[in-house]
Amino acid sequence: MPDSYKYVGSKVQRIDKDKVLGGAEFAYDFELPGMLWAKLVGSPYPHAKIVSVDYSDALKVPGVVAVFTGEDFPFKVGLYAADRDVLARKKALYYGHPVAAVIAESLDAAEEAATKIQVEYEPLPYSLKVEDSLKPDAPIIHEEMHTYKHAVFIYPKPGTNIAHQTKVRKGNVEEAFSKADVVVEKVYREPLLSHYYLEPWTGIARVRSDGTVEVWSSHQSPFAVRELLSKSLSIPMNKLVVHHLYTGGGFGGKAGLLLEHLPILFSKKLGGRPVKLRLTARENFFYMAQRAGYLIKMKTGATKDGKLIAHWGEYYLDAGAYADYTVNMARAIGLTATGPYEIPNIHVDSFAVYTNKVPTTAFRGFTMQELHYAFESQIDELAHKLGMDPAEFRLLNVFKPGISRTAIGERLKEDAGDPATPIKEVVKMLSEDDEKPKKPWIVRGKGIAAFWKGPFQPSSAASSAIVKVNDDGTVDVLVGTGAMGQGTITALTQIVAEELGIPPEIIRVSPHRSTDMVPYTWQTVGSRGLFSEGMSVIMACEDLIEQVREVASIVFDVNKNMIEYSEGKACVKGEPWHCITLKEAALGYMNPKGVTVGGPLIGRGYYVPPRNVLTDPETGQVLEEGHLAPFYTFGAGGVEIEINLLTGEIKVLKAVSVYDTPAVNPGLAEGQVVGGTVMGLNIAMRERLIYDEEGEYKGVFPEGMLLNPCLTGYLLARASDIPEKIEFKFLGVKQKDAPFGAKGIAELTMIPWPAALANAIYNAIGVRITELPITPDKLIEEIRKQKPELLEQAEKYLEVNL
């Protein structure tokens, strides 16, 4: 950011400090008079017919008010596909699928009663793997899929387990492969993951006497929750109020419709009494949607001069039992099929596939980390086969703004960003350290990965803002975006301060908001908050400034063109002694004779992504010249690692990343980079939800059960796992129609790390890992398969040293 900005580009301190000082209020903390508690009872089978539910003993527990089953709610809800039962009806679709709910005066009573519910099941054949769900004789998980409502851009295949398919067709792939000098064909696998946000999900609802439904829950997007509840439960939006408190992390897992419909429906059945459903950390694994698993098949070809000419792919996402966000994620990964590279011939199919696992949903990066892990591994393999430097190979093929067309035929804007420079900078940053390991069984390697991402959203994904001046000259900013730790409200404060020329200290953006009290925004997803809310806030400030100039022109009896605004006041040009401050005009300016000019200053602004267009369902190509996203952020990441050949342990010595965008608040951006780097590397090396897909634990654990629903089995990074060095740069390349040129970066900070790590391993020892996470056991197993001589040599080194 240039020095001419006073507040934008500075490390203004976060304004949501009460989260660390203990004053923040979360849905977990919220209670209402007369509130009841809900507890869910889940299925012990991955797929089973529900024969009967006996809850007579549960009703005898003191304090129990009611027990509900799926038969009490004979309809379906959903996000992009209405495929979700309120409670399991007729059959359970996954281990933990809620079959019944107990409502009681206390949580203790609800928990005791839940243990007394007896359900008779008839187990059915089940499928825990995408490959199995695609077989001709696979059990069909949704036999009535043909009756479900779907979004217009979702294409299911009734009679199968395919919840959605996206097609991308460009050029002639078969002909192009015949001309390729090198071809790399691989299969990549990535497991289901948990978002593991700090705050397990909580929802409270009550129905008022006038029919108004109020909801308090831990969500990312209050207006998305309102819209989906309104459609699913046929509640008019003016009778539905969604309150947004602090949210303790989301990472995509709290986007869309979660479990808010449950306390609403329970409250309706019980005369409007407030009902609270609060999940434990363990229950969160079973009742909340998780990140999809991935099976990615790729074949990529290049010519001997280093040009990519063909790409074929089949990308399968494990949707679990319900489609949720995963159908749209399958669309996103297909439409961005080849990462930030221009390839003239493409044939890709992407699928969301039902399995008998917990439902899956959006996850930070919205398929881009998963896609780039596979595609950037392909790029490195091709470079090595061609005998080219991997960075140079990338630079030959990376997008050129204003010239290149993406996989779907979208022509990048001239100011879309800088895809090339981050690659060059990452190579420089990695080359600074060239120490040699001190033990012969320790080897070092470096790897890089380029990446890009934009927010995939409909053309109607609007944001709006209101900026109003109070009597004393302070300012309130009203926006609908969710606050879950990303720091957007601080950055928006800086934007308003810069636009109005007033200090951030007199501006307030409330971390709490309600859908009936703040202007609309689509969703808080896709790293779009700073961009979309920022643009709407700028427009609101411009609207407010025009009002002040209008008042000043009347007061000083000059044309409005003679009024200039800066530093919180409107003055006559060339006559700085003729000015009106924001404070003086806040409620309308009163002249010495007592006549008031104007009225309360309220600026209104909105932003709708320009020229967002649809794609052809048969080819994936844009239907006219336009864009899939209002912006793309480009970057690259790289790691230097040490590998212990005796144990398979990997130590990340250095992680570097470069982003083409400016940063509105470098301090916030730094926090995002460090957090995203640690998160991305942990996903690469440790995280996975483990199901007994191969029947290894049959008879030991219940079939189809998640085996590691806790932190003793689901491994998160500790302080000792953080890289010794985390370095980053923001290049400051501006997009003309972005707020102060800046674009979103939060999700991008975690995208490159699995690919960079896999490439570093290959560069170090010539072993290609195509399945995450890359654990010590996995690495040793692959070394034995691909380079057994490395282990033999390491063992000899050890014998000599001992």
Side-chain angles (χ1 to χ4, degrees):
M1 290 289 180
D3 295 335
S4 57
Y5 295 144
K6 189 172 183 179
Y7 304 111
V8 169
S10 301
K11 290 186 177 182
V12 172
Q13 285 192 353
R14 293 184 68 128
I15 63 177
D16 50 346
K17 300 175 186 176
D18 45 358
K19 287 197 299 186
V20 293
L21 297 176
E25 186 176 36
F26 297 84
Y28 182 97
D29 305 307
F30 195 73
E31 295 191 8
L32 291 167
M35 190 178 75
L36 299 169
W37 291 81
K39 200 70 180 177
L40 302 178
V41 177
S43 166
Y45 296 97
H47 199 195
K49 180 181 177 181
I50 301 170
V51 178
S52 64
V53 182
D54 181 357
Y55 50 82
S56 55
D57 288 342
L59 290 173
K60 296 174 184 176
V61 175
V64 169
V65 173
V67 176
F68 297 116
T69 69
E71 298 308 314
D72 293 302
F73 310 105
F75 55 89
K76 293 183 182 290
V77 299
L79 180 57
Y80 295 105
D83 60 356
R84 191 195 315 184
D85 288 312
V86 174
L87 295 169
R89 196 157 48 100
K90 297 182 181 178
K91 65 176 187 175
L93 302 183
Y94 58 97
Y95 184 98
H97 191 174
V99 173
V102 177
I103 315 298
E105 297 284 354
S106 70
L107 180 58
D108 287 344
E111 289 178 335
E112 181 184 348
T115 66
K116 297 182 181 297
I117 294 178
Q118 301 296 317
V119 184
E120 182 183 350
Y121 297 94
E122 182 182 304
L124 298 171
Y126 62 90
S127 170
L128 295 180
K129 298 171 67 175
V130 163
E131 299 97 312
D132 293 339
S133 283
L134 293 171
K135 291 177 179 177
D137 60 347
I140 301 302
I141 296 169
H142 290 271
E143 297 97 334
E144 299 177 359
M145 190 199 298
H146 61 283
T147 67
Y148 298 166
K149 295 178 181 178
H150 292 87
V152 294
F153 53 84
I154 300 302
Y155 307 103
K157 291 194 171 184
T160 75
N161 287 316
I162 296 174
H164 170 69
Q165 177 182 4
T166 288
K167 301 176 183 178
V168 177
R169 309 286 188 264
K170 183 181 178 184
N172 188 323
V173 168
E174 292 182 3
E175 181 180 337
F177 274 119
S178 70
K179 297 177 181 178
D181 295 303
V182 293
V183 174
V184 169
E185 187 170 6
K186 298 280 185 183
V187 177
Y188 301 88
R189 298 176 189 274
E190 303 170 60
L192 269 71
L193 299 181
S194 170
H195 303 80
Y196 216 93
Y197 30 73
L198 284 177
E199 176 204 20
W201 186 86
T202 297
I204 307 103
R206 71 176 168 194
V207 182
R208 289 190 172 274
S209 57
D210 66 349
T212 298
V213 176
E214 288 189 279
V215 179
W216 295 260
S217 68
S218 41
H219 59 258
Q220 296 182 205
S221 311
F223 284 94
V225 173
R226 185 186 70 166
E227 178 188 1
L228 294 166
L229 287 173
S230 175
K231 289 179 178 178
S232 296
L233 305 182
S234 299
I235 303 172
M237 286 190 183
N238 71 319
K239 291 292 187 180
L240 184 55
V241 179
V242 177
H243 300 281
H244 179 83
L245 306 176
Y246 275 110
T247 299
F251 309 119
K254 294 178 182 174
L257 181 63
L258 308 175
L259 300 177
E260 285 89 356
H261 55 290
L262 293 178
I264 290 176
L265 291 169
F266 301 157
S267 178
K268 281 193 167 189
K269 290 275 190 181
L270 298 170
R273 285 189 68 178
V275 177
K276 183 171 188 175
L277 174 60
R278 188 177 76 189
L279 302 185
T280 65
R282 182 181 176 85
E283 288 173 335
N284 218 90
F285 279 98
F286 293 107
Y287 299 149
M288 285 290 286
Q290 311 296 327
R291 190 206 78 173
Y294 289 73
L295 169 65
I296 298 177
K297 300 178 180 180
M298 284 186 170
K299 180 180 177 183
T300 315
T303 56
K304 59 186 176 183
D305 60 352
K307 293 299 292 182
L308 291 167
I309 61 169
H311 180 73
W312 170 92
E314 288 181 353
Y315 308 161
Y316 297 95
L317 280 69
D318 187 339
Y322 294 136
D324 203 75
Y325 252 107
T326 302
V327 288
N328 199 28
M329 292 165 63
R331 176 175 174 266
I333 196 172
L335 298 181
T336 55
T338 60
Y341 304 101
E342 187 168 19
I343 302 179
N345 303 284
I346 299 169
H347 185 290
V348 167
D349 291 285
S350 55
F351 304 89
V353 181
Y354 288 121
T355 65
N356 292 114
K357 290 179 183 169
V358 65
T360 64
T361 190
F363 188 84
R364 193 178 188 188
F366 212 70
T367 76
M368 291 298 97
Q369 184 192 70
E370 299 83 359
L371 170 68
H372 285 80
Y373 166 59
F375 202 82
E376 287 294 310
S377 296
Q378 295 279 106
I379 291 292
D380 250 42
E381 287 264 322
L382 286 165
H384 284 292
K385 281 195 170 187
L386 289 166
M388 294 184 64
D389 177 79
E392 292 302 320
F393 181 59
R394 285 175 169 83
L395 292 170
L396 272 175
N397 295 283
V398 77
F399 288 143
K400 298 176 180 61
I403 299 172
S404 294
R405 290 189 180 270
T406 68
I408 59 171
E410 171 190 4
R411 183 173 177 176
L412 292 177
K413 298 185 347 181
E414 288 185 349
D415 64 340
D418 184 355
T421 304
I423 299 171
K424 300 174 187 176
E425 288 296 316
V426 161
V427 171
K428 288 180 187 177
M429 293 164 73
L430 279 180
S431 65
E432 294 170 0
D433 298 318
D434 283 311
E435 287 185 41
K436 301 294 182 185
K438 296 177 182 178
K439 297 176 181 178
W441 54 85
I442 304 289
V443 294
R444 286 195 176 189
K446 299 175 183 178
I448 66 169
F451 57 89
W452 73 320
K453 188 191 180 301
F456 307 116
Q457 56 189 25
S459 300
S460 58
S463 292
S464 53
I466 291 174
V467 177
K468 61 189 185 77
V469 183
N470 301 315
D471 310 21
D472 60 356
T474 60
V475 170
D476 283 318
V477 180
L478 305 180
V479 290
T481 191
M484 52 191 165
Q486 69 273 49
T488 304
I489 58 176
T490 301
L492 293 177
T493 301
Q494 292 176 254
I495 290 173
V496 173
E498 197 70 53
E499 286 289 308
L500 298 183
I502 59 178
E505 293 77 21
I506 66 170
I507 301 168
R508 183 173 189 270
V509 185
S510 173
H512 295 179
R513 49 194 59 87
S514 301
T515 52
D516 62 339
M517 300 295 287
V518 296
Y520 175 85
T521 193
W522 175 63
Q523 292 189 41
T524 311
V525 294
S527 300
R528 68 182 289 277
L530 170 69
F531 186 95
S532 298
E533 310 303 310
M535 291 300 293
S536 64
V537 161
I538 287 172
M539 292 179 183
C541 288
E542 290 174 350
D543 181 38
L544 188 143
I545 288 169
E546 284 303 296
Q547 294 174 40
V548 180
R549 291 180 65 228
E550 180 71 31
V551 169
S553 71
I554 296 172
V555 170
F556 299 120
D557 196 23
V558 298
N559 189 287
K560 191 167 72 170
N561 292 334
M562 287 296 294
I563 302 296
E564 58 186 3
Y565 179 92
S566 67
E567 300 301 317
K569 56 188 177 182
C571 302
V572 177
K573 291 179 181 178
E575 300 178 9
W577 49 87
H578 285 146
C579 296
I580 294 176
T581 65
L582 284 179
K583 179 179 178 180
E584 291 172 321
L587 301 181
Y589 180 81
M590 182 184 294
N591 68 20
K593 296 180 180 180
V595 177
T596 297
V597 178
L601 290 177
I602 303 174
R604 170 185 174 270
Y606 68 89
Y607 176 81
V608 177
R611 297 192 57 75
N612 257 42
V613 296
L614 297 173
T615 56
D616 185 283
E618 293 302 316
T619 66
Q621 301 302 298
V622 289
L623 294 177
E624 62 174 271
E625 285 287 345
H627 307 287
L628 187 64
F631 70 87
Y632 294 107
T633 308
F634 293 93
V639 294
E640 181 178 8
I641 63 171
E642 278 189 349
I643 301 171
N644 186 322
L645 292 173
L646 295 174
T647 65
E649 292 175 291
I650 301 169
K651 184 177 183 180
V652 180
L653 304 175
K654 185 176 184 180
V656 302
S657 55
V658 178
Y659 310 85
D660 66 346
T661 181
V664 169
N665 186 316
L668 292 174
E670 179 179 355
Q672 290 289 346
V673 170
V674 173
T677 300
V678 174
M679 187 176 185
L681 286 170
N682 198 65
I683 288 170
M685 301 168 70
R686 296 174 191 87
E687 290 189 51
R688 57 179 167 175
L689 292 174
I690 303 172
Y691 287 83
D692 188 16
E693 296 180 345
E694 306 300 332
E696 183 179 354
Y697 298 101
K698 196 168 185 178
V700 179
F701 294 103
E703 294 183 35
M705 177 184 174
L706 174 64
L707 301 178
N708 61 331
C710 56
L711 285 183
T712 56
Y714 191 87
L715 304 180
L716 298 180
R718 299 167 296 177
S720 59
D721 298 316
I722 297 173
E724 295 177 2
K725 297 179 181 178
I726 297 178
E727 299 175 3
F728 58 92
K729 287 183 181 179
F730 291 92
L731 299 180
V733 179
K734 292 185 175 182
Q735 180 170 311
K736 293 176 183 177
D737 64 346
F740 295 90
K743 302 174 290 187
I745 60 105
E747 293 176 304
L748 284 95
T749 61
M750 60 168 287
I751 290 176
W753 308 113
L757 184 72
N759 290 337
I761 291 169
Y762 187 85
N763 291 332
I765 59 176
V767 172
R768 174 60 60 187
I769 309 293
T770 58
E771 183 174 359
L772 296 180
I774 307 175
T775 61
D777 288 348
K778 168 65 69 177
L779 183 56
I780 292 293
E781 177 186 341
E782 291 300 322
I783 294 173
R784 283 200 180 102
K785 289 179 183 177
Q786 301 179 41
K787 288 288 186 74
E789 64 274 14
L790 290 176
L791 297 180
E792 295 169 7
Q793 190 176 14
E795 289 168 359
K796 287 180 181 177
Y797 284 138
L798 182 61
E799 289 173 6
V800 170
N801 279 268
L802 289 176

